[in-house]
Every structure is written in structure tokens, then in C-alpha cells.
Amino acid sequence: MRMSQNQRRRVTRLFIGWVITLVAVVGLQRSPAAAAAPNQPHILNLGEQLPGRIMDRDVVIHNQSTHVLRFSSLSTSCGCVTASVSPHVVQPGATATLKLRIITHLDPGPASISALLLGHVSKKPWAREWIIKYAIHPMLVIMPPGHALSSTQAIDFGHITRARLAKPIVLDAYRGNYPARWTKLTCRSGSRDLKIAIKPAGTDHWHVVIDFTSRDIVGSQDYRLHFSFLNHGKPLPYHLTEDLELTVRGTLSLVPSSLLIGTLKPDSHYHTDIKLWSADPAITPRFVSGHASAPAYVHVKIVNHGANARITVTPKDRREAFPGRLTFVVQFGDRRVTMHENFFAYILKRHGEPSKKLHVPKIRLYPPASMPRISSGGK
């Protein structure tokens, strides 16, 4: 079973979702962030945003009490936001700065993330919550043939024959609803296997025509399409990158077609062999070379005069989901063919090794009304 880059990303996101408590707040306010009351969360409304963007925001926290404010913990509800606060001790009348770095979601629609800062003023608890809101509006919507869109993060052609490579594949691209002015769309790929042309197909509609310049590709293939936008000849700073995935079926195959290794201990070693299968009995293929996307942990060695590719996995100090890719050069008759195979493993912790503690915040935990007033303002 083949696991694409898109599937591996979904596995990783699901795993992260098991260990991080998400705080969902329904609705999106378009008005600027206003100063919140002491018993209300502070709203940071970022408005309309493009997917996958990195944004930095600073929030100034004022200690207007007559006592020292000491921060004890800082948590966010999503791994897409990192936060830090400085200084950790705020004297009466002084300020601290909460720094937020936000990576916007990839899927269209509203998003809401929470950041919770806890501390003490004298011996009384202190807490503030910030709700970060925005709405994802894409610049471009790309649809594969048949408009069977399975993911917003990758274009998956599925399985095609080598004969199908002789004909161009056409994608439909439509203008998204992000409020930006642009008049021309361009696309390129870093692979020599692809030739890409953009052809207007109507108002706010383009055809992305993909020609395969190489017919000697077999197995799972991953490409990156880089879209650029121009407004009357002037390029916009934003660029869209989309993954293009497909599996080419032919007379040559890798056995097995993918490596789902499962769980491994850090001190263990995993070995397996990959073989070649040819539907043409007159041709005996052989491996010429091979390498892995993580050479520090996965080693490829060609053995038995090219009949097998021996894969050795040494987890070492990794403790995480471990996806990757193998690339082989294969001699097939008088041609050399590049073939790929995906692998996936999960590296366990050593026996007795402590797990990283996750602080799960209590939602909207605020100090009592009698507590000294401490205000915050954002910019």
C-alpha cells in the first residue's frame, strides 16, 4: 500500500491532534480587536488571510497593580501558534511583551486559536486568554481531472499507465476569493520530467496543461508546482506551492511497493530487501543505485549484483512519526529508470524515558473580581 506525502501529513496531523487540546470558538469578528474586560478573553482579529502564511504579533501586558506580577505558564491550543513572554517578572507599573507567531491553516474557512498565560500577583492567581481569529481565503483553487478534489494540500492523479504519459494532463484553476488584484497566472516545476503551460479558459478560469517530457518514470512520483501571480506585469510577493502526486504503472515494479515499517525501538535495527519485478520475461532489471530522504537513519545498499536493494533503518535518537522516501535508479534493458518508494515508521521512547509534559489549559480561567486590576493591550 502506497502512502503519499499528503497521507503522511494527515497521519502526522492526526497524531498531533491526539496530544494537543484544541480550543474552538465559533464565529469570526471583522471589527478591530478591542480592550477586553478582565473576565473576557482578548480578541486578536487578523481578518482575511492566505493559507500557510507566517505572521508575528506582539501584545503588550500592563501591570497596573501595586504588586509584582509573576508568570508561571504559557500555553497555546494549537501547534500552529508559538508564544513567548518577556520578562517573566513584571514590576508594578511596568510592562511585558507576549510574542505570538502564527502559521495560518491550509484549509479554507474560519479559524480560532487560544493562547493562555497564567501567573500570580502577590499570592492571588492571574490569568489572561487571547483568542486569535482569522478566515482563510485562497488565491487560487486547483481541481484535478474529473474535479475529484480529495485534499486542499495535494493534487493526486492516482494510478495511471505509462502510455497515459504520452498525452497532456489538464488541471482546472479558478480564481479564489482572497481580495488581491492580479491579471496573469504562471506555473513552473523544478522537475525536468514536466513541461507546464497556462491557457486562459474563461473569466477567472485557466487550464494548467502538464506534459511529461520523460516516459521512463515508473512507480510513485511527487512533484511540486509553483504558481506565481502578476498584476499588469508586476509580480505579487505571494507564491502558491502545490504537491502533484501520481503512481505510474508499467512493466516494472518494486516489491513491496511501499514500506509500512510500524513501530521501532530507538536501539533496534530494521532490515528488509526490496526486489524488482518485470512483466517482460525477456528483460531482467537490476538496481544501479539508491538513496533515502533521511540518510542519517535509513541506509540503502545494492546487493546480489543489483537483484536486491537492502534497506537498513537505525532510529538512533528519533522519537516521532518517521515518514520518508526511497529513490532508486534501475537498469531496464537499454534504459535507466528512476523509481520511488515511500516508507513510514514510528519510533518509540526507551523504557522508562519520561514523556514531555503537556499543559492543558482550563478554558477562560480568570482571577476573582477582587483581584488588583491588570490590563493588556495589543498592537
Side-chain angles (χ1 to χ4, degrees):
M1 181 176 66
R2 170 182 174 260
M3 180 173 287
S4 68
Q5 287 185 354
N6 182 37
Q7 290 172 319
R8 295 196 301 272
R9 283 193 295 267
R10 287 197 291 263
V11 170
T12 303
R13 289 200 307 271
L14 286 174
F15 175 74
I16 294 174
W18 293 335
V19 297
I20 296 178
T21 301
L22 298 179
V23 180
V25 177
V26 179
L28 181 67
Q29 296 183 4
R30 295 181 179 272
S31 60
N39 60 345
Q40 294 294 326
H42 297 259
I43 305 298
L44 299 180
N45 196 331
L46 305 181
E48 298 171 332
Q49 297 292 336
L50 289 163
R53 305 297 286 168
I54 299 176
M55 295 178 292
D56 293 305
R57 293 293 185 273
D58 289 352
V59 177
V60 178
I61 303 169
H62 298 270
N63 183 1
Q64 297 180 351
S65 74
T66 58
H67 300 280
V68 173
L69 168 60
R70 300 178 185 273
F71 300 125
S72 57
S73 66
L74 174 60
S75 302
T76 62
S77 63
C78 176
C80 59
V81 177
T82 58
S84 64
V85 64
S86 179
H88 291 173
V89 178
V90 188
Q91 299 297 326
T95 62
T97 301
L98 173 67
K99 290 184 174 294
L100 299 168
R101 169 158 287 192
I102 305 112
I103 303 177
T104 60
H105 294 175
L106 298 177
D107 294 324
S112 188
I113 306 102
S114 174
L116 182 66
L117 181 60
L118 303 178
H120 288 83
V121 173
S122 185
K123 295 183 179 180
K124 296 180 179 179
W126 178 96
R128 283 293 181 270
E129 183 187 11
W130 288 266
I131 304 297
I132 305 162
K133 293 186 176 185
Y134 58 86
I136 292 299
H137 289 182
M139 187 84 81
L140 194 70
V141 178
I142 303 171
M143 306 297 291
H147 287 192
L149 184 63
S150 58
S151 170
T152 58
Q153 288 109 49
I155 305 165
D156 194 346
F157 284 169
H159 291 76
I160 65 175
T161 63
R162 289 185 67 244
R164 179 69 179 85
L165 298 177
K167 299 179 181 180
I169 295 176
V170 180
L171 305 176
D172 284 301
Y174 299 90
R175 186 187 297 270
N177 58 355
Y178 185 78
R181 294 181 179 274
W182 55 277
T183 57
K184 185 178 180 180
L185 176 68
T186 65
C187 182
R188 62 178 178 83
S189 171
S191 174
R192 297 179 180 179
D193 293 342
L194 302 184
K195 183 180 178 181
I196 304 174
I198 301 291
K199 298 182 179 180
T203 303
D204 298 333
H205 180 198
W206 297 263
H207 284 159
V208 183
V209 183
I210 301 174
D211 281 296
F212 288 87
T213 58
S214 173
R215 306 290 190 267
D216 294 332
I217 56 175
V218 182
S220 62
Q221 310 293 324
D222 295 280
Y223 305 98
R224 308 212 84 181
L225 305 182
H226 303 273
F227 292 90
S228 299
F229 308 88
L230 294 89
N231 187 30
H232 299 288
K234 184 178 180 180
L236 272 62
Y238 174 75
H239 300 271
L240 174 65
T241 300
E242 287 280 340
D243 290 331
L244 175 66
E245 302 173 358
L246 68 152
T247 299
V248 182
R249 289 176 171 171
T251 57
L252 183 63
S253 300
L254 295 169
V255 181
S257 59
S258 64
L259 288 181
L260 298 180
I261 299 170
T263 57
L264 293 176
K265 296 180 179 179
D267 297 325
S268 64
H269 297 272
Y270 173 86
H271 305 275
T272 192
D273 280 5
I274 296 176
K275 300 180 179 180
L276 288 166
W277 176 85
S278 173
D280 187 345
I283 301 177
T284 301
R286 65 179 181 87
F287 288 105
V288 176
S289 64
H291 67 273
S293 59
Y297 302 96
V298 181
H299 179 68
V300 181
K301 183 179 180 180
I302 308 303
V303 298
N304 298 335
H305 305 288
N308 294 13
R310 184 153 298 164
I311 312 301
T312 303
V313 182
T314 307
K316 295 184 180 178
D317 58 344
R318 295 185 72 105
R319 307 285 191 280
E320 58 186 345
F322 186 15
R325 196 181 198 205
L326 304 169
T327 300
F328 303 100
V329 176
V330 175
Q331 189 73 37
F332 189 59
D334 58 354
R335 295 181 289 117
R336 287 197 172 187
V337 179
T338 301
M339 304 184 71
H340 303 284
E341 180 161 321
N342 297 319
F343 65 84
F344 182 84
Y346 188 83
I347 313 304
L348 301 174
K349 295 180 180 296
R350 291 187 177 91
H351 179 70
E353 184 175 2
S355 299
K356 182 180 179 181
K357 293 183 179 180
L358 294 176
H359 176 76
V360 180
K362 294 181 180 179
I363 306 308
R364 299 187 184 180
L365 176 62
Y366 300 103
S370 59
M371 187 176 164
R373 182 168 178 261
I374 299 175
S375 65
S376 65
K379 66 176 182 178

